[in-house]
Structure formats: structure tokens, C-alpha cells
Amino acid sequence: MKNILKIQELDAQIRKIKASIDNSRENKLLAEFTKVMKEGRNFVNNIAEVSNEIIKEFNEINKKFDLLNAKSDITLKLKPETAGIDSVGKLIDDSNYLTSELAILEQRMRELTERGSRLLNDYNTAMNKLKDTKSKCDALKDMLAKKKEAVHPEITNLQAQIKKLEGDVDEKLYEKYKSMLKDNIFPVFVHLKSNRCGGCQMEQSLNFIQKLKQKGMLPCEECRRIILADEIK
Ligand SMILES: [Zn+2]
């Protein structure tokens, strides 16, 4: 039992070191910048979609231009003197219609061009921001890698100490300890503190405490941690 508790102490030290990196300013910034990168990529993808729509609309307008041009060619070829006076009225109507349609198309084209240039502007801004954020992320990753490298010998040393202690432990209890670590329960062994579980602070019944005194250790019914009886007076 003593050795398992020592192992738990060493594991606590390892976890503390790892947590100090996980909770470091660099790691938090990296998470933030990674989120910004993701948003930036979505934004750029969205721009790509919108620009496809603009291209489609642009092609559509071009097609209409061609159609109107073809129509106006025909209208021009119909000379008033050969077409007869009856056709002149229709010719003027056609001509007015074509002119107004062309004006509408021109307006749409102008709007489309403006939208396109705004989009390009947004795209360039977003790409610059992405590039900037990426280099910040890379720098942070470098810093974190160095931090991890710096604590590596310490962790290796602690792990070696654990390895040594593992040779002399109650195997069944140690298996239990390891399986609870896997479930992210830590610490696994706790003491009773003012009749409460030292892990989850759940108050224990007198009946439970009585049984605990007899058995030496009992799992907490609330958090499954193993409560040790050794400090009960
Ligand atoms: Zn508990």
C-alpha cells in the first residue's frame, strides 16, 4: 500500500508538470489562434463560394448582352425606308426596349463588379490575417515544444521512480489504480476528512465509516475513489 501511495504522489508530480504546460499562456493562446484560423478558413471558403456565384451571374449577364446585341443587329438591318412606315413604330419600340434592357444589364454589371472588388478585398484581408495567425501559431508551437523538452528529463526521472516501485506493489490494487487513472479519476486513494470523502467531499454515513474502520479501505459510493481508513481516530 505504501508503494502505491508513493506512486500516486509521483504521478501527482507528473500531472502537475504536464498541467503547467497545458495551462500555460502559450497553450491558451494557441487554442485561441487555432480557433481564429478555423474561422478564417471558413470565411475564405465562403468567399470562394460567393465568388463562384458572382462568376455565374457574370456569365449570365454576358449571355444576355450577346442576345441583345444579336437582336439589335437585326433591328439595325431593318432600314425604315425599306421596312415601310408601319414597321417604323415597331422599330422604335424595339430600339427603346433594347436600350433600356442594355441599361439594366449595365447597371447589374457595375454592381457585380463592385461586389467582386469588395470580395477580393475581403479575401486579401482574410488571407493576410490567416498568414499572420499561422506564423503566430507556429511560434507558439515552437515555444511549447521547448517547454516540453525542458521538463522531459524531470518526467523521465519520475517515471523511472514509479517503475522501480511497481516491482513491489499489491498487483490487484495497482490494477485498480491504473484503470481509474484511465477513467481520469485522480487521485485514486484519498483519506476521510471530517467524515467526508477526500475526493468528492461527499459526507459518509456512520455505518460507512464503521465498515471503513474494519476493512481499512472502501470505495466512495459517489466518486468510486478508494477511501483509506488509516487516519481515522
Ligand atoms: Zn468520493
Side-chain angles (χ1 to χ4, degrees), residues 89-137:
K90 196 177 170 295
L91 207 61
I92 290 168
D93 284 349
D94 278 357
S95 174
N96 283 339
Y97 167 76
L98 284 175
T99 310
S100 76
E101 281 295 291
L102 278 170
I104 291 167
L105 278 185
E106 251 168 25
Q107 178 61 25
R108 274 181 69 192
M109 195 64 131
R110 224 181 347 258
E111 279 164 14
L112 210 57
T113 312
E114 273 165 25
R115 265 176 73 198
S117 97
R118 271 201 304 272
L119 207 61
L120 190 65
N121 209 16
D122 287 351
Y123 177 80
N124 285 334
T125 310
M127 284 309 273
N128 280 338
K129 199 175 167 201
L130 265 183
K131 228 166 94 185
D132 182 50
T133 312
K134 186 171 183 303
S135 73
K136 278 181 189 156
C137 278

Side-chain angles (χ1 to χ4, degrees), residues 190 197-202 204 220-225 227:
V190 294
C197 162
C200 68
Q201 310 305 324
M202 169 87 168
Q204 305 295 333
C220 169
E221 283 164 11
E222 181 68 17
C223 70
R224 290 164 50 211
R225 285 185 174 84
I227 304 178

Side-chain angles (χ1 to χ4, degrees), residues 1-10 189-191 228 230:
M1 191 63 225
K2 219 174 106 198
N3 278 354
I4 295 189
L5 286 181
K6 268 189 202 159
I7 289 175
Q8 179 170 273
E9 234 168 76
L10 293 166
F189 297 100
V190 294
H191 295 289
L228 302 174
D230 59 356

Side-chain angles (χ1 to χ4, degrees), residues 10 13-24 26 142-161:
L10 293 166
Q13 286 179 47
I14 293 174
R15 290 168 78 94
K16 205 173 150 196
I17 295 167
K18 286 183 175 168
S20 80
I21 292 177
D22 287 345
N23 298 328
S24 66
E26 288 90 341
D142 265 3
M143 281 186 222
L144 282 169
K146 275 187 194 125
K147 272 197 168 189
K148 277 181 192 159
E149 218 178 290
V151 298
H152 187 252
E154 205 181 342
I155 288 179
T156 312
N157 176 30
L158 291 167
Q159 280 166 341
Q161 290 182 50

